Amino acid sequence: MFATMDQSTDFTGNNLSFKGVALEYPVCLEWREHPEGSMFHLANILLVLGFMGGSGFYGLLYMFCFLSLGFFCYSIWAWSDLCTTDSFSWTFGLFVICLAQVIHVSYRLRSVTFDTDLQNLYDRMFKKIGVSLTQFRKIVACCDGDIHTIEKGYCFAMEGKTSIDKLSVLLSGRIRVTVNGEFLHYIYPFQFLDSPEWDSLKPSEEGFFQVTLRADNRCRYVAWRRKKMYLLFAQHRYIAKIFALLVRNDIAEKLFSLNKAFDSRGFRYDLRLPSFCHQPEPEIENTLESQPEHKDPKPAERDS
């Protein structure tokens, strides 16, 4: 295109051409009467939806899927105009990058799959408090992904004999908790088996169960060894806070279930104070007898 005038300017006042000098790009003298095609608008809508994605694996998968579709629509729109090879190159390159991210996230999501029991454990206990699948994978790796079984009538722990060396969660079945042969409460699936014992000991301390845990039917549970758990807590403080929250919430539920549990002497059972629960009766009587008697003071006589 050659200029037919001595000099022309654009709306900003910049010189565009001189007489006899060819212009390298067309001059936009007015707005287009017709808007861009539907593919252009669809691409923008998909990009907006993509940037609304959340966090985590599913959030990344959602975002990159929509971004891939959006940049693919941009590539089709740019291909329709032969004068926009650079636009096509950029949009198609971004489409390839986002598609590669979709494949990568899908592969990682596929690799973070668990057995049915562990998946149910994640859905019932950890997912609702915001634990991601990658963090839960570290928790599962700490227990080697092993699921243990207790047959009906067998004991998980015996009073005064079983040492406290792990933290366990019941996955299926029902556990009966007794002390001195008297029933305390039941433990149901997705509750800790030994949360009071775990919380009552420091990492360097050792102790024994003060209650007996017997299986009412065939039970399955997952267990974490104390040493491995404390190493995991030292490496990941967030996981330590998560377990502290879960354990103390479980203890609160157990204590609430013991509100109406009394022994034969009328004392209320308390898993957090097993020594009081097992205190012999003569010691209690001696303690009461050793207390001095307080006589009611004689009221002062009023002057007549």
Side-chain angles (χ1 to χ4, degrees):
M1 175 180 180
F2 293 91
T4 58
M5 50 187 172
D6 293 339
Q7 185 176 357
S8 61
T9 58
D10 62 0
F11 64 92
T12 61
N14 297 327
N15 295 331
L16 296 177
S17 62
F18 293 92
K19 185 175 182 180
V21 179
L23 294 175
E24 296 181 357
Y25 56 89
V27 179
C28 182
L29 300 178
E30 59 182 4
W31 294 103
R32 296 180 58 176
E33 298 181 357
H34 302 287
E36 297 292 342
S38 59
M39 193 63 65
F40 175 82
H41 299 288
L42 178 61
N44 283 282
I45 293 174
L46 292 173
L47 291 180
V48 170
L49 293 175
F51 287 119
M52 294 172 63
S55 59
F57 280 107
Y58 291 104
L60 291 175
L61 189 63
Y62 170 90
M63 180 178 68
F64 284 117
C65 283
F66 276 98
L67 291 182
S68 299
L69 295 175
F71 286 122
F72 180 71
C73 292
Y74 258 128
S75 300
I76 296 176
W77 170 79
W79 182 260
S80 61
D81 190 351
L82 299 179
C83 298
T84 57
T85 55
D86 53 346
S87 299
F88 171 78
S89 301
W90 273 107
T91 53
F92 188 78
L94 293 172
F95 161 70
V96 173
I97 293 173
C98 291
L99 185 61
Q101 287 291 335
V102 171
I103 297 173
H104 176 67
V105 174
S106 300
Y107 173 77
R108 292 185 61 186
L109 190 62
R110 179 181 176 86
S111 62
V112 190
T113 55
F114 307 99
D115 295 336
T116 303
D117 290 331
L118 295 176
Q119 186 64 43
N120 292 336
L121 176 65
Y122 173 75
D123 294 335
R124 293 288 299 273
M125 293 185 63
F126 293 91
K127 184 178 180 180
K128 61 184 180 181
I129 56 177
V131 178
S132 64
L133 287 173
T134 53
Q135 293 168 336
F136 184 68
R137 180 171 58 181
K138 297 175 183 177
I139 296 173
V140 172
C142 187
C143 69
D144 299 325
D146 295 334
I147 306 297
H148 306 275
T149 302
I150 309 176
E151 297 298 335
K152 180 180 179 180
Y154 284 81
C155 291
F156 172 82
M158 297 187 66
E159 180 181 350
K161 297 182 179 180
T162 305
S163 61
I164 304 170
D165 59 353
K166 57 182 176 291
L167 179 65
S168 309
V169 176
L170 185 64
L171 300 177
S172 63
R174 189 178 69 176
I175 297 291
R176 176 187 293 267
V177 182
T178 59
V179 59
N180 291 333
E182 299 184 8
F183 172 75
L184 288 180
H185 63 89
Y186 289 112
I187 298 177
Y188 297 98
F190 307 109
Q191 292 182 343
F192 286 98
L193 293 171
D194 42 12
S195 54
E197 291 76 14
W198 171 275
D199 193 60
S200 63
L201 295 180
K202 297 180 179 179
S204 58
E205 294 179 344
E206 296 182 357
F208 296 88
F209 278 82
Q210 300 295 328
V211 293
T212 298
L213 283 71
R214 188 183 302 273
D216 268 3
N217 45 33
R218 193 172 187 269
C219 302
R220 294 166 61 85
Y221 70 95
V222 59
W224 295 271
R225 292 292 175 181
R226 289 187 67 193
K227 292 183 179 180
K228 287 187 175 182
M229 285 297 288
Y230 285 123
L231 288 176
L232 181 66
F233 293 164
Q235 297 173 357
H236 305 280
R237 300 300 301 170
Y238 176 75
I239 296 179
K241 294 179 181 179
I242 289 297
F243 268 90
L245 174 65
L246 292 174
V247 167
R248 290 166 186 174
N249 180 70
D250 186 81
I251 291 174
E253 292 180 356
K254 286 181 170 60
L255 293 178
F256 181 77
S257 65
L258 294 175
N259 282 339
K260 297 182 180 180
F262 296 88
D263 64 1
S264 58
R265 295 170 296 169
F267 292 104
R268 178 175 295 175
Y269 283 115
D270 192 342
L271 290 178
R272 304 297 298 277
L273 299 172
S275 59
F276 174 78
C277 180
H278 293 167
Q279 189 173 359
E281 186 172 357
E283 295 183 3
I284 299 178
E285 294 178 354
N286 293 336
T287 303
L288 296 176
E289 292 175 357
S290 62
Q291 295 180 355
E293 296 182 358
H294 297 280
K295 298 182 179 180
D296 295 336
K298 184 177 181 180
E301 298 181 356
R302 298 180 59 183
D303 296 335
S304 56

